[in-house]
């Protein structure tokens, strides 16, 4: 059984509380993140799910690369 919640988290700017995205997932794919520190490398997130809003934001953000994206 696959997870139906988006893997990304939202942070409330007022309270600073972090919570899961409430949108249902619409895509699955591999997420690669770049690091500013040359001695540090982030592990890719393979076959994770994300919502429409986070998918669109990920396409615009140069720190992330989305690969093998499939619509669910």
């Amino acid at each position: 059984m696959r997870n139906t919640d988006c893997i990304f988290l939202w942070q409330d700017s007022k309270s600073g509380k972090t919570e899961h995205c409430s949108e249902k997932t619409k895509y699955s794919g591999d997420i690669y993140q770049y690091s500013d520190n040359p001695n540090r490398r982030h592990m890719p997130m393979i076959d994770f799910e994300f919502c429409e809003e986070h998918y669109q934001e990920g396409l615009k953000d140069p720190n992330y690369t989305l690969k093998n994206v499939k619509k669910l």
Side-chain angles (χ1 to χ4, degrees):
M1 185 170 142
R2 293 185 69 99
N3 180 14
T4 57
D5 294 324
C6 183
I7 61 146
F8 291 101
L9 301 174
W10 286 119
Q11 183 168 357
D12 186 344
S13 59
K14 292 179 184 175
S15 69
K17 182 180 177 186
T18 302
E19 55 189 52
H20 287 281
C21 175
S22 62
E23 291 189 39
K24 293 295 181 191
T25 57
K26 293 187 179 178
Y27 300 93
S28 71
D30 306 336
I31 304 164
Y32 297 84
Q33 184 178 3
Y34 295 105
S35 174
D36 292 337
N37 185 339
N39 297 323
R40 185 175 181 185
R41 194 173 98 172
H42 295 282
M43 293 299 292
M45 296 183 284
I46 306 298
D47 196 29
F48 276 79
E49 297 186 6
F50 37 95
C51 67
E52 176 73 32
E53 185 174 356
H54 283 121
Y55 174 63
Q56 295 301 328
E57 289 297 320
L59 291 176
K60 296 180 213 170
D61 191 334
N63 292 319
Y64 290 97
T65 299
L66 305 176
K67 296 182 180 179
N68 304 318
V69 176
K70 297 176 267 184
K71 191 162 184 152
L72 300 176

